[in-house]
Amino acid sequence: MTIDRLTEQKSYFSAELLAWYRRHKRDLPWRRNRNPYHIWVSEIMLQQTRVDTVIPYFHRFIEKFPTTEALAEAPEEEVLKAWEGLGYYSRARNLQTAVREVHERYGGVVPSTKEEVFSLRGVGPYTAGAILSIAYNQPEPAVDGNVMRVLSRYFLIEEDIMKGSTRVTMEKLAQELIPEGAAGDFNQGLMELGALVCTPKSPNCLTCPVMAHCAGRAAGMEEALPVKKKAKPPRPERRVVSLILGDGPNAGRILVRQRPAEGLLARLWELPHTEAPKAGENAPEAPLAAAAAHEALAAALAADGLGLGPAAWLMHAEHTFSHIRWDMEVYVCRPEPSPLGADVPPLLPSHYRWIRREDMDQLAFPNVFLRILDTYFES
DNA sequence: AAACCGGGGGC
DNA sequence: GCCCCAGGTTT
């Protein structure tokens, strides 16, 4: 009786990849122990974010919130500040929500069953598998972008990896491949191979531990895989931004506001800004007239009870999110002189605040506003 | 299934 | 400029 070819290809892959990982694994901060909380934090930070970006954030975060209890008890604004610049801020708020749940329901111990881990806020199929396999060495698959790329090449799978059904197929396959008793190392090896060898472009097949049985390589398809439908381009939005300098008791301060609790950049702080009138269909790239910019800004601020004085153009800024592209013109402004005199500034809605530059240490700003403020303060 | 949700690095 | 990254939630 002969072992069929697919079975041989699988067992070869499992054994060689595991051995390769144990020889080549990088020394990463979250690999220094098996603290489930550390593993968890690292996996949330690593969602859609590169290892090199995460490392300094991980160190600072664990230093500031060393335990689930510390994170559960921290003010949300401190957590957001620690996340500032990482993006996808719902990850931070969901993580704190989930940690509080771990305290209320599981006595502060990160649970170790699939149902319980998966039910935690911000923990989906990938992260649940990662926590269970890496922290608890349970034989659960952890299929991320790296794993889909590696498996699609090695097994020559041409399904669109953007489809949910493909991920399910990959999870079944990945689970079958886990060597007995080595789920954590194997899953990390799969991702490590994707990050270091089986890269999206120009994979280093000649150094790959499983090249000998790689069907994608044998077919000359490694560069064409995985098959992935193209994403829609982000829709453009033209925005006008105000950097408002205070006078009277607010001299030396700038006006900032906190974003709503839901939606884009939820609860982060920003310079007041508003969407500018759409450019005409026939001239979408025409520069926005200064007068039109001031009018839009003044109208938006008037709705919050603040009058806007003259404005001087400062800079252009662009920022691209996954689904929106902000095309911004920034103006330096003064408040409209108060009818009661400069010593009695008008009352502001509670989500606005006059701050000094030092106060920014306490508030989380999206990177695009940090860049604008840096430019202003350095000029 | 598609949209929403950031930001940066590599080429 | 484009891709895509140790994805999850909502609609």
Side-chain angles (χ1 to χ4, degrees), chain A residues 240-283:
Chain A
V240 254
V241 183
S242 58
L243 204 173
I244 305 179
L245 309 175
D247 50 16
N250 293 323
R253 295 170 187 258
I254 59 175
L255 186 63
V256 299
R257 70 180 181 196
Q258 190 173 27
R259 295 180 60 85
E262 307 279 324
L264 186 68
L265 302 168
R267 292 184 212 179
L268 268 68
W269 291 79
E270 64 180 6
L271 297 176
H273 61 106
T274 189
E275 184 163 12
K278 297 268 186 228
E281 296 287 333
N282 48 359

Side-chain angles (χ1 to χ4, degrees), chain A residues 159-163 226-232:
Chain A
E159 296 174 53
D160 181 354
I161 64 167
M162 295 296 279
K163 293 172 65 177
V227 174
K228 186 176 183 178
K229 194 176 62 183
K230 264 194 202 168
K232 254 178 62 176

Side-chain angles (χ1 to χ4, degrees), chain A residues 240-247 253-255 272 290 293-295 297-298 301 306-314 329-336 354 376:
Chain A
V240 254
V241 183
S242 58
L243 204 173
I244 305 179
L245 309 175
D247 50 16
R253 295 170 187 258
I254 59 175
L255 186 63
H294 184 265
E295 185 185 349
L297 218 38
L301 288 164
L306 190 87
L308 193 65
W313 182 84
L314 172 67
E329 299 296 342
V330 186
Y331 288 82
V332 178
C333 313
R334 293 282 180 178
E336 191 174 50
W354 288 101
Y376 174 74

Side-chain angles (χ1 to χ4, degrees), chain A residues 64-65 75-84 256 258 267-270 353 355-365 370:
Chain A
K64 196 166 175 59
F65 312 110
E76 187 195 75
E77 56 177 282
E78 283 187 24
V79 180
L80 283 176
K81 185 65 186 177
W83 211 269
E84 180 184 71
V256 299
Q258 190 173 27
R267 292 184 212 179
L268 268 68
W269 291 79
E270 64 180 6
R353 197 179 293 179
I355 66 163
R356 295 165 307 218
R357 196 184 183 186
E358 310 89 82
D359 299 327
M360 292 174 59
D361 294 344
Q362 315 300 325
L363 310 176
F365 286 82
L370 293 178

Side-chain angles (χ1 to χ4, degrees), chain A residues 182-256:
Chain A
D185 280 354
F186 177 77
N187 283 350
Q188 292 182 86
L190 217 34
M191 295 186 274
E192 196 85 336
L193 189 75
L196 299 180
V197 177
C198 197
T199 49
K201 290 169 187 168
S202 310
N204 307 304
C205 296
L206 298 184
T207 69
C208 179
V210 295
M211 180 186 73
H213 290 288
C214 179
R217 166 81 178 180
M221 295 271 297
E222 70 271 19
E223 293 267 20
L225 294 169
V227 174
K228 186 176 183 178
K229 194 176 62 183
K230 264 194 202 168
K232 254 178 62 176
R235 68 172 183 273
E237 267 185 25
R238 187 179 291 231
R239 294 200 155 260
V240 254
V241 183
S242 58
L243 204 173
I244 305 179
L245 309 175
D247 50 16
N250 293 323
R253 295 170 187 258
I254 59 175
L255 186 63
V256 299

Side-chain angles (χ1 to χ4, degrees), chain A residues 19-270:
Chain A
W20 174 85
Y21 174 69
R22 288 178 170 166
R23 274 184 285 120
H24 292 277
K25 67 176 180 180
R26 289 171 289 180
D27 177 23
L28 301 176
W30 46 90
R31 287 182 179 163
R32 288 183 54 232
N33 54 53
R34 288 217 176 170
N35 184 324
Y37 170 62
H38 291 191
I39 306 288
W40 182 8
V41 169
S42 76
E43 290 302 337
I44 300 298
M45 286 187 170
L46 286 162
Q47 289 170 6
Q48 301 293 290
T49 311
R50 285 179 163 71
V51 166
D52 289 342
T53 303
V54 165
I55 288 174
Y57 280 93
F58 178 82
H59 282 305
R60 287 196 297 269
F61 197 91
I62 294 298
E63 184 174 3
K64 196 166 175 59
F65 312 110
T67 62
T68 55
E69 185 162 21
L71 181 57
E73 292 174 351
E76 187 195 75
E77 56 177 282
E78 283 187 24
V79 180
L80 283 176
K81 185 65 186 177
W83 211 269
E84 180 184 71
L86 255 190
Y88 287 121
Y89 298 94
S90 65
R91 292 185 293 174
R93 295 188 290 125
N94 289 341
L95 176 60
Q96 191 179 32
T97 299
V99 159
R100 286 173 173 164
E101 189 184 343
V102 163
H103 254 257
E104 287 165 13
R105 298 179 48 162
Y106 308 116
V109 180
V110 180
S112 56
T113 71
K114 199 196 303 190
E115 295 72 25
E116 289 170 336
V117 173
F118 187 75
S119 75
L120 294 170
R121 189 104 185 128
V123 176
Y126 163 73
T127 306
I131 292 171
L132 290 167
S133 63
I134 300 172
Y136 297 117
N137 205 25
Q138 291 188 26
E140 294 294 334
V143 173
D144 69 340
N146 282 312
V147 175
M148 298 229 263
R149 184 172 60 254
V150 169
L151 296 183
S152 71
R153 286 173 176 169
Y154 184 80
F155 292 101
L156 191 43
I157 298 167
E158 299 181 78
E159 296 174 53
D160 181 354
I161 64 167
M162 295 296 279
K163 293 172 65 177
S165 58
T166 306
R167 203 206 69 225
V168 172
T169 301
M170 298 274 189
E171 282 172 350
K172 270 184 66 180
L173 178 55
Q175 182 149 28
E176 293 171 6
L177 293 168
I178 296 172
E180 183 73 28
D185 280 354
F186 177 77
N187 283 350
Q188 292 182 86
L190 217 34
M191 295 186 274
E192 196 85 336
L193 189 75
L196 299 180
V197 177
C198 197
T199 49
K201 290 169 187 168
S202 310
N204 307 304
C205 296
L206 298 184
T207 69
C208 179
V210 295
M211 180 186 73
H213 290 288
C214 179
R217 166 81 178 180
M221 295 271 297
E222 70 271 19
E223 293 267 20
L225 294 169
V227 174
K228 186 176 183 178
K229 194 176 62 183
K230 264 194 202 168
K232 254 178 62 176
R235 68 172 183 273
E237 267 185 25
R238 187 179 291 231
R239 294 200 155 260
V240 254
V241 183
S242 58
L243 204 173
I244 305 179
L245 309 175
D247 50 16
N250 293 323
R253 295 170 187 258
I254 59 175
L255 186 63
V256 299
R257 70 180 181 196
Q258 190 173 27
R259 295 180 60 85
E262 307 279 324
L264 186 68
L265 302 168
R267 292 184 212 179
L268 268 68
W269 291 79
E270 64 180 6

